[in-house]
Amino acid sequence: MDPHLLRTFTAVARLGSFSAAARELGYTQSAVSQHIAALEADLGVELLGRRPVAPTEAGARLLDHAGPLLTRLAAARADVARVARTPGARLAVGATALACGAATSRAIAGVRAALPRAEVSVRLIGRSAVVRGVAEGDFDLGLVDGAVAPTDPLHLPEAEGLAVRAAGEEPLAVLLPPGHPLAGRPGLSLPDLTDALWLDAPAAAVPLPDLRAAAPGGYPAALRYEGADTRVLRHLVAAGHGLAVLPVSAAPRSAVPLTGPRLVHHVEAVLRPSPPAAVTLFLDALPEADPVR
């Protein structure tokens, strides 16, 4: 399959429109139609219904494969470009906000001590963007976090073809406003809080989908916070806008430990199979853990 045709197909399927895909890709609508027709002819099956524009059953199956295929092609291109440039030492880290804790800072310090002229950078972005950035060569190392059962890995289907290893694990705690009737308890259970009002803060706290997966329930959101600053999150909780869950290292002392179900804040490092020396130094500074996949 021609990757150019595959990119066009995924754009049309995602946008549900030939004209919108043409605008996004910088093609004419006629060229987009020709790309789809050529791909369908190559595979011998209709991939998109036209009224409305939506994947057929075969098209939906192709979409399952398209993301990893295009990601690996981008990774191959990035690797070849890096070899051609023969860059100096670099450690570009892409991370979710809560994945950057004290252990991360110490590991970066170790890299800078060993490679004092290395170019080191840290960028906070969303989980899927971290993994994509590693695959495409924008980052040398990705750090992602989430709430899972102890010893369980994070669900990262987009990391196919990359190496993933455990990089940290700690308990969780619930942030409550002052005077909350549950404040001061020795522990709290998620099933008792599913009907409480929550903050929808996917970058600054444990995302609500992680909580719903662990203990099904509504978790109604009173307010959505798009930032990654946990200080802002604490102010919002203190003002009564909703509850939030944080790893204990990022939570205030007034936070109540989460005791049920058994959940931990888990951090994983995502890297290419043959990482540069700076990444190896970084990983060596973290608690030892076998690759999880």
Side-chain angles (χ1 to χ4, degrees), residues 32-269:
V32 169
S33 297
Q34 291 172 12
H35 283 192
I36 299 303
L39 185 59
E40 290 178 331
D42 179 21
L43 296 175
V45 64
E46 184 180 45
L47 299 172
L48 291 168
R50 301 310 198 260
R51 295 180 184 273
V53 176
T56 62
E57 183 178 358
R61 184 61 60 86
L62 179 59
L63 280 175
D64 291 339
H65 295 282
L69 287 172
L70 293 174
T71 295
R72 294 306 300 154
L73 285 170
R77 180 181 294 273
D79 274 341
V80 171
R82 277 193 301 277
V83 170
R85 292 194 304 266
T86 59
R90 184 191 84 158
L91 178 62
V93 180
T96 52
L98 292 179
C100 286
T104 300
S105 299
R106 289 192 295 268
I108 290 176
V111 172
R112 295 185 64 238
L115 302 171
R117 300 185 63 184
E119 179 183 342
V120 180
S121 64
V122 179
R123 182 181 175 191
L124 302 184
I125 50 176
R127 180 187 292 179
S128 60
V130 169
V131 177
R132 185 169 61 251
V134 173
E136 295 180 358
D138 295 330
F139 303 125
D140 303 302
L141 175 71
L143 296 171
V144 294
D145 74 289
V148 294
T151 72
D152 279 0
L154 300 178
H155 181 59
L156 298 174
E158 62 270 32
E160 182 178 348
L162 299 173
V164 182
R165 63 166 285 176
E169 193 171 278
E170 64 175 309
L172 294 163
V174 183
L175 275 65
L176 303 166
H180 193 282
L182 298 179
R185 290 196 177 189
L188 288 173
S189 176
L190 271 183
D192 296 332
L193 302 170
T194 57
D195 295 328
L197 289 178
W198 288 82
L199 286 175
D200 185 8
V206 173
L208 295 184
D210 286 8
L211 301 183
R212 294 185 182 113
Y219 300 88
L223 182 150
R224 181 172 176 84
Y225 171 50
E226 298 283 356
D229 192 331
T230 56
R231 293 175 301 173
V232 174
L233 180 81
R234 293 183 192 181
H235 291 319
L236 291 171
V237 172
H241 293 294
L243 310 184
V245 173
L246 284 176
V248 293
S249 63
R253 292 184 178 180
S254 59
V256 180
L258 183 66
T259 54
R262 293 188 65 202
L263 282 180
V264 293
H265 178 252
H266 190 63
V267 179
E268 290 184 4

